Amino acid sequence: MPTVPLSQVKLGDRFASDVITPLGGTLFRKGRVVTSREYEILQAFLVQQVDIEPREGAEEVAATEEAVLARFNAEYDRLISLVRRIFVSNMSGIGLPIMDIRKQLENVLAHIGEYNALTFMPRIADKQDYLYHKSVLTALTSHLLAQWCAFPKKDWLPLALAGLFHDIGMLRVDPAILYKPSALTAAEKEEVQNHTKHGYNLLKNVAALNEGVKLTALQHHEKMDGSGYPLGLKGDKIHPYARLVAVADVFHSITLERSYSRPISPYLALEQLQNESFGKLDPVYVRTLIEKLTSFHNGMVVRLSDNRLGEIVFTDRNNPTRPLVSVGGKIINLVTERSIHIKSVIR
């Protein structure tokens, strides 16, 4: 079990013992493979030396972990390409190849363990890609949320499909309006809102989709207090699929870059979701998403909005996105330091 200075640590090495922070928290567990991210954290915490295992086979383990992540990314990119082709072709009224979509979606879901809604941020190549990525991410998050909210297993894939197709009615909206960089007129807002009706009409005769998927396209902008559109439904009059997908949709709508707004931190997005749950979004689904995505524990390393790295030392259940963070030995209370927020989880 050699102890080596940080300068001699190589990517692919394994820690032979736990790496402990000055506060006594566990920075890394024994056996963890060193990647560029781990090395950055070691530097940030001024770790001088670590115990590493003999290097034989370490590179193979690191390569395997990288390969698993690469498979998820590859399947994700294939689904984006398929959604792009389908959305473009349906502008001409061509039917939906549901089985092709379902198969590729299942290929991505087979690697769902590699997906973290807080940290996975795809590169948006152009303004049209925003719609495709939001649709796929909403599908993945809806699939996870269905499990977390104890939906029967038979509903998991349909809920992912509901997330994937919830905005398909946007195909019937004038692109000049859809990607307009400035404020919309009243008439333009009405046209955009009509995407819910267009989406339902596109899906209503597709026998391979259940009614919940179709109603999600129609109802995902309905609000719990009846202030939504297009029908002004309220509460349990809104289909459960639509209520769940709406939560995932709002989250990804504000965390992805689009033509008329900059993305916000996923953690601020969760706070916004929490605020909107009062009368607007289903509070049970919102609370579940926040609790699952912010399962912080003491010793977790995060990057703050001012780019400093810190270590979580305490999380208040009433403010799950704003724990106490130790930065260089100084405790920062994100509940009171409102100008600072968590930018990303490092480990």
Side-chain angles (χ1 to χ4, degrees):
M1 186 177 70
T3 299
V4 300
L6 184 60
S7 61
Q8 294 182 18
V9 174
K10 296 181 179 180
L11 301 186
D13 281 345
R14 278 184 178 274
F15 296 117
S17 61
D18 292 349
V19 180
I20 308 300
T21 70
L23 289 176
T26 301
L27 193 59
F28 298 114
R29 292 290 184 185
K30 174 183 177 180
R32 188 179 182 94
V33 176
V34 179
T35 69
S36 57
R37 175 172 288 183
E38 280 75 16
Y39 197 84
E40 178 187 8
I41 296 171
L42 292 171
Q43 290 179 311
F45 278 82
L46 303 178
V47 174
Q48 300 298 314
Q49 58 186 28
V50 294
D51 299 328
I52 63 168
E53 295 180 355
R55 286 174 175 149
E56 183 179 357
E59 291 80 2
E60 288 80 358
V61 172
T64 299
E65 293 180 353
E66 291 293 331
V68 171
L69 180 59
R71 282 197 293 271
F72 168 78
N73 289 329
E75 296 296 353
Y76 177 90
D77 289 342
R78 291 189 186 99
L79 183 55
I80 289 293
S81 296
L82 178 59
V83 170
R84 183 186 292 111
R85 292 199 305 271
I86 291 168
F87 275 35
V88 171
S89 66
N90 269 268
M91 290 179 182
S92 303
I94 299 174
L96 293 172
I98 296 298
M99 297 314 296
D100 290 343
I101 298 170
R102 177 176 177 142
K103 180 179 179 180
Q104 187 53 42
L105 179 57
E106 289 177 327
N107 289 342
V108 179
L109 293 175
H111 303 284
I112 194 68
E114 302 303 313
Y115 171 67
N116 184 320
L118 284 181
T119 60
F120 184 74
M121 291 295 159
R123 185 177 63 87
I124 308 295
D126 56 50
K127 59 186 180 182
Q128 286 85 1
D129 275 358
Y130 163 79
L131 180 60
Y132 313 139
H133 283 285
K134 186 169 77 75
S135 297
V136 172
L137 291 175
T138 300
L140 300 185
T141 300
S142 295
H143 184 268
L144 289 176
L145 191 52
Q147 297 176 53
W148 296 336
C149 292
F151 274 75
K153 190 172 183 178
K154 66 180 179 62
D155 288 319
W156 295 357
L157 182 59
L159 266 161
L161 287 167
L164 190 66
F165 288 131
H166 76 285
D167 264 346
I168 195 168
M170 290 294 189
L171 298 177
R172 297 293 183 263
V173 177
D174 184 349
I177 295 175
L178 191 58
Y179 302 111
K180 184 179 178 181
S182 56
L184 300 181
T185 66
E188 290 169 339
K189 287 181 181 178
E190 183 177 356
E191 180 171 348
V192 171
Q193 290 182 355
N194 282 335
H195 81 276
T196 56
K197 299 175 184 177
H198 296 319
Y200 180 75
N201 288 331
L202 283 168
L203 301 178
K204 66 180 181 181
N205 294 322
V206 179
L209 298 177
N210 71 24
E211 192 64 14
V213 176
K214 301 170 186 178
L215 287 176
T216 297
L218 180 67
Q219 298 178 0
H220 65 279
H221 282 291
E222 300 287 359
K223 302 299 181 185
M224 297 296 287
D225 60 4
S227 63
Y229 64 87
L231 302 174
L233 302 178
K234 65 168 58 177
D236 59 8
K237 297 298 182 182
I238 307 168
H239 196 281
Y241 280 23
R243 300 203 307 269
L244 184 144
V245 168
V247 174
D249 174 44
V250 171
F251 175 77
H252 291 297
S253 293
I254 55 182
T255 55
L256 286 174
E257 186 168 359
R258 45 185 167 175
S259 58
Y260 54 87
S261 68
R262 299 289 298 172
I264 69 172
S265 159
Y267 301 89
L268 292 182
L270 291 179
E271 292 177 12
Q272 185 169 321
L273 272 176
Q274 191 168 34
N275 293 334
E276 290 197 11
S277 67
F278 296 104
K280 304 299 180 182
L281 299 172
D282 189 302
V284 173
Y285 299 154
V286 170
R287 183 170 62 251
T288 300
L289 183 69
I290 293 173
E291 289 177 352
K292 291 295 185 178
L293 292 186
T294 60
S295 298
F296 298 139
H297 55 75
N298 293 353
M300 181 172 283
V301 179
V302 295
R303 186 181 298 280
L304 300 179
S305 53
D306 57 11
N307 280 325
R308 289 180 295 171
L309 290 182
E311 176 186 353
I312 291 178
V313 295
F314 178 75
T315 301
D316 182 352
R317 288 183 59 188
N318 295 320
N319 296 280
T321 65
R322 291 188 166 272
L324 297 181
V325 180
S326 173
V327 178
K330 176 184 177 183
I331 303 298
I332 298 177
N333 185 346
L334 297 183
V335 173
T336 56
E337 297 282 348
R338 302 302 295 186
S339 63
I340 304 174
H341 61 269
I342 294 175
K343 183 178 181 180
S344 61
V345 170
I346 303 299
R347 183 205 58 76

